[in-house]
């Protein structure tokens, strides 16, 4: 039995010979089904004293690694076998569809396009109620001025989630760029710290030639740090300067003229 998929311990019990030997009966049932070519017999497994399942390779387009399962039955002490059930089942290496996700969980970072609408999840723990307008123009204008005019603001969970995502992202301290940088963003003149509690560890890069406009971790860094200095000196002293506009005069040896004698002159 080749390529038989792993089975639980009860299914490893011996199959009655009358059921185990009915391979052609099981194959004939699949051929009669008419769903395509039936491949090699993969084995038979024990169901109970009166039933066993034969498995065949399913050679159907788009069903790589799937198997036909044919359940055969025979009452005790009987040599008459009948077909109980036919099914197409995934094998251990089957190509199957991914688990289903609700539509509101399928969106990933970068999926939002211009003009698209993406409301927050219902009861999103990342958001908490913000300032609610009182109707007093003086109070409400002051609230807007100090940034309290939003209906919802980030909760503690929302800030921590964002901070962890930024810290472990492309502009975090463990990125390849940061590891090769001579200094950190918190010491850079292009570093614009965020407001609020995130100010301690995050800012925005203001260097158009670096991570311009991206939130960067304070301990991130790059080669475009404001204190970066170019190596001093006029170049490597290992090689002489090469001037491709100069003309080099090379003296060539005088050519040697070989005079051949006329054979007629020797007579």
């Amino acid at each position: 039995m080749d390529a038989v998929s792993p089975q639980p311990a009860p299914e490893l019990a011996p199959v009655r010979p009358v059921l185990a030997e009915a391979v052609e009966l099981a194959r004939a049932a699949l051929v009669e089904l008419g769903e395509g070519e039936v491949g090699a017999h993969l084995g038979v497994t024990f169901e109970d004293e009166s039933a066993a399942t034969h498995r065949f390779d399913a050679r159907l387009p788009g069903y790589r690694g799937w198997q036909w399962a044919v359940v055969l039955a025979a009452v005790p002490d009987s040599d008459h076998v009948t077909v109980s059930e036919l099914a197409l089942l995934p094998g251990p290496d089957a190509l199957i569809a991914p688990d289903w996700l609700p539509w509101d969980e399928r969106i990933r970072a970068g999926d939002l396009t211009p003009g698209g609408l993406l409301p927050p999840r219902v009861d999103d723990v990342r958001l908490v109620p913000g300032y609610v307008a009182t109707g007093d123009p003086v109070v409400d204008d002051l609230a807007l001025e100090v940034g309290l005019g939003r209906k919802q603001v980030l909760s503690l969970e929302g800030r921590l989630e964002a901070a962890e995502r930024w810290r472990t992202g492309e502009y975090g301290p463990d990125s390849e760029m940061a590891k090769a940088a001579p200094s950190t963003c918190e010491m850079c003149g292009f570093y614009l710290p965020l407001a609020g509690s995130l100010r301690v560890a995050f800012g925005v890069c203001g260097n158009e030639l670096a991570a311009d406009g991206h939130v960067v971790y304070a301990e991130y860094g790059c080669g475009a740090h404001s204190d970066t200095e170019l190596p001093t000196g006029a170049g490597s002293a290992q090689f002489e300067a090469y001037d491709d506009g100069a003309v080099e005069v090379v003296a060539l040896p005088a050519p040697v003229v070989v005079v051949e004698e006329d054979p007629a002159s020797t007579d």
Side-chain angles (χ1 to χ4, degrees):
M1 301 178 187
D2 297 330
V4 178
S5 58
Q7 300 295 336
E11 298 185 2
L12 296 177
V15 179
R16 288 170 52 198
V18 66
L19 294 172
E21 296 170 1
V23 177
E24 293 307 318
L25 175 64
R27 181 183 295 275
L30 292 174
V31 172
E32 185 178 352
L33 185 63
E35 292 292 339
E37 183 181 358
V38 180
H41 182 245
L42 302 179
V44 58
T45 55
F46 176 89
E47 298 295 341
D48 57 36
E49 292 296 333
S50 301
T53 299
H54 287 267
R55 292 177 178 268
F56 297 84
D57 183 23
R59 298 180 179 176
L60 298 176
Y63 285 84
R64 187 186 68 194
W66 285 60
Q67 302 173 356
W68 285 112
V70 182
V71 181
L72 302 181
V75 297
D77 301 326
S78 173
D79 59 358
H80 180 68
V81 179
T82 59
V83 177
S84 296
E85 185 178 0
L86 305 177
L88 183 62
L89 302 175
D93 301 320
L95 180 65
I96 57 178
D99 294 336
W100 184 86
L101 286 176
W103 69 269
D104 58 343
E105 298 180 15
R106 299 177 190 173
I107 299 176
R108 296 291 181 266
D111 289 348
L112 188 62
T113 56
L117 299 177
L118 181 60
R121 296 190 292 266
V122 179
D123 299 327
D124 196 326
V125 297
R126 299 172 300 172
L127 297 172
V128 292
Y131 173 78
V132 179
T134 66
D136 185 332
V138 177
V139 176
D140 292 343
D141 288 346
L142 177 61
L144 289 173
E145 184 177 344
V146 298
L148 299 178
R150 293 172 292 169
K151 293 183 179 180
Q152 297 186 94
V153 295
L154 274 178
S155 64
L156 175 60
E157 291 86 351
R159 293 195 300 273
L160 292 177
E161 182 179 320
E164 180 64 15
R165 188 171 60 251
W166 295 342
R167 188 188 68 82
T168 58
E170 181 180 355
Y171 302 102
D174 297 327
S175 64
E176 293 300 320
M177 179 70 77
K179 292 177 181 178
S183 187
T184 59
C185 287
E186 60 184 343
M187 304 299 294
C188 181
F190 296 109
Y191 182 71
L192 304 172
L194 296 183
S197 60
L198 293 176
R199 180 187 181 91
V200 177
F202 296 98
V204 176
C205 177
N207 187 347
E208 63 177 329
L209 301 179
D212 189 34
H214 291 280
V215 176
V216 294
Y217 194 70
E219 296 181 11
Y220 175 73
C222 70
H225 195 280
S226 61
D227 295 336
T228 300
E229 297 180 359
L230 292 176
T232 58
S236 173
Q238 184 177 359
F239 304 101
E240 296 182 359
Y242 175 75
D243 185 0
D244 58 1
V247 177
E248 182 179 3
V249 179
V250 179
L252 299 177
V256 178
V257 180
V258 178
V259 179
E260 296 183 357
E261 297 182 358
D262 187 355
S265 63
T266 59
D267 294 341

